[in-house]
Amino acid sequence: MLVTSRGYSQEISSGDSLAAEEIKSRTSFIYSNYDKVHFILTKKKFKGTTMGSNIYAHKKNDSLNRVVVISMTQKGMASTEYYFEKNSLIYVYRTFEYFQLTQV
């Protein structure tokens, strides 16, 4: 499994670049290859810091292939995408976007 993180427009990656390209190819196919999407809205706090989450479960032929969790915190929005192939987790992608604070 390869994990990358992205925060405030700065991408951090680790591992073998050839393996990363292979994973990118596989996840790109999964990203647009689904026939059902299940949506769950929850107020449940994950890790004690979120104020609620949207969960999208993507399926192809009744097999889970991608799950997207979007959670709001007091400082911004966290998103995690889980990619599955043959019922095995192959990739996790996380981002965090900070809210822009303005004076009122």
Side-chain angles (χ1 to χ4, degrees):
M1 175 177 58
L2 180 67
V3 177
T4 60
S5 296
R6 184 180 177 130
Y8 208 72
S9 299
Q10 182 178 21
E11 191 166 330
I12 301 169
S13 63
S14 62
D16 183 349
S17 61
L18 292 175
E21 285 302 316
E22 172 67 21
I23 292 292
K24 183 178 179 181
S25 172
R26 290 160 62 188
T27 57
S28 293
F29 176 75
I30 291 169
Y31 185 85
S32 59
N33 189 29
Y34 60 91
D35 53 19
K36 291 181 186 173
V37 178
H38 299 277
F39 174 73
I40 302 164
L41 178 63
T42 178
K43 292 182 184 178
K44 181 172 176 54
K45 292 185 177 195
F46 294 100
K47 298 182 183 178
T49 60
T50 63
M51 300 176 343
S53 297
N54 299 338
I55 303 169
Y56 302 87
H58 297 247
K59 289 183 171 183
K60 179 68 174 184
N61 298 327
D62 288 325
S63 181
L64 188 66
N65 63 359
R66 182 170 168 246
V67 174
V68 179
V69 180
I70 300 171
S71 302
M72 303 305 285
T73 71
Q74 290 184 356
K75 294 183 179 181
M77 181 176 69
S79 177
T80 305
E81 296 182 41
Y82 302 90
Y83 290 83
F84 298 88
E85 195 172 72
K86 298 179 184 173
N87 295 320
S88 293
L89 181 65
I90 63 165
Y91 185 71
V92 177
Y93 182 74
R94 291 188 173 138
T95 61
F96 189 87
E97 295 182 40
Y98 289 93
F99 293 138
Q100 183 175 355
L101 301 176
T102 58
Q103 297 285 338
V104 180

